[in-house]
């Protein structure tokens, strides 16, 4: 079985992440969305919440599973018997970081291959960080995130003005 892992912080899961997940699921037999338990990063949502939101958003895709991991991605890959890391690329600015990460993972686990999927143009500006910033300043975010994420964000921070 050709199983790929799509790792990320997903804080929160956006429509850009969903697009990569949907497209990835048509290429690989199984796609594991792997939510990073990032203790050092201050995240808006707990790992359980991030997982739940991703799961809700991808519920209609039968060959997608949402799990969490901490520590090294390559250890998680071995545990899940996957050799393919799926990552999304938005702009040239993503490239340097992604390139380093891919090389580092290759060094750590030569059997792994990183596959990049280029963002759909309509999501090229979309990032979790951008969504959080717009939201915190009262901007409308419903078109950037799946409905379940929108609901949870509104629960987290009571609406201020029109959202
Ligand atoms: P990380 O903290 O690992 O960068 P993110 O949750 O920000 O995690 O992103 C996970 C992956 O999804 C990364 O490969 C990132 O480049 C990609 N990604 C994020 N937003 C988009 C988008 N709008 N379109 C395509 N790929 C995206």
């Amino acid at each position: 079985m050709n199983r790929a892992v799509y790792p990320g912080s997903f804080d929160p899961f956006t429509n850009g992440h969903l697009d990569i997940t949907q497209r990835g699921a048509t290429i690989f037999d199984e796609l594991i969305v792997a939510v990073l338990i990032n203790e050092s990063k201050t995240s808006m949502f707990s790992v359980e919440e991030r997982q739940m939101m991703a799961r809700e958003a991808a519920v209609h895709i039968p060959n997608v599973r949402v799990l969490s991991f901490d520590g090294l991605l390559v250890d998680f890959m071995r545990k899940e018997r996957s050799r393919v890391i799926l990552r999304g690329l938005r702009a040239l600015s993503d490239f340097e970081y992604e390139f380093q990460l891919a090389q580092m993972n290759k060094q750590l686990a030569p059997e792994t291959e990183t596959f990049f999927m280029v963002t759909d143009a309509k999501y090229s500006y979309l990032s979790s960080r951008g969504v959080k910033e717009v939201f915190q300043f009262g901007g409308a975010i419903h078109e950037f995130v799946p409905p379940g994420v929108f609901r949870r964000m509104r629960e987290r921070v009571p609406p201020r003005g029109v959202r």
Side-chain angles (χ1 to χ4, degrees):
M1 182 193 272
N2 208 346
R3 177 180 294 138
V5 170
Y6 177 32
S9 309
F10 306 115
D11 184 41
F13 199 80
T14 68
N15 287 340
H17 294 136
L18 182 58
D19 181 59
I20 297 290
T21 304
Q22 252 157 352
R23 289 160 54 201
T26 67
I27 306 291
F28 301 102
D29 297 327
E30 185 178 58
L31 184 68
I32 299 176
V33 174
V35 181
L36 176 66
I37 306 174
N38 38 359
E39 309 286 356
S40 58
K41 258 192 182 178
T42 43
S43 48
M44 180 172 190
F45 292 101
S46 70
V47 68
E48 291 79 16
E49 289 172 313
R50 285 181 276 141
Q51 240 181 296
M52 213 178 299
M53 288 187 282
R55 208 168 271 149
E56 253 174 42
V59 71
H60 59 289
I61 320 171
N63 58 334
V64 168
R65 278 197 292 148
V66 180
L67 301 175
S68 64
F69 75 103
D70 65 0
L72 283 178
L73 174 63
V74 293
D75 289 340
F76 176 78
M77 306 278 302
R78 283 174 176 152
K79 189 170 126 251
E80 294 301 326
R81 299 177 187 284
S82 169
R83 292 179 51 226
V84 178
I85 303 169
L86 178 65
R87 296 283 287 177
L89 278 181
R90 279 161 295 190
L92 205 56
S93 51
D94 277 343
F95 181 78
E96 200 165 333
Y97 172 67
E98 293 292 341
F99 185 79
Q100 270 182 15
L101 211 62
Q103 301 247 293
M104 182 77 86
N105 284 324
K106 189 79 185 162
Q107 203 65 34
L108 292 170
E111 76 276 13
T112 59
E113 294 294 343
T114 302
F115 278 60
F116 293 107
M117 208 171 249
V118 171
T119 183
D120 187 300
K122 61 179 180 290
Y123 302 124
S124 59
Y125 62 89
L126 202 52
S127 68
S128 297
R129 186 172 147 199
V131 166
K132 283 183 282 195
E133 279 174 7
V134 169
F135 181 72
Q136 271 152 12
F137 291 111
I141 56 149
H142 58 273
E143 60 198 272
F144 304 148
V145 294
V149 174
F150 181 57
R151 201 184 56 242
R152 264 167 219 274
M153 287 190 78
R154 287 189 59 139
E155 280 165 14
R156 178 60 50 92
V157 184
R160 182 161 40 115
V162 182
R163 280 216 172 101

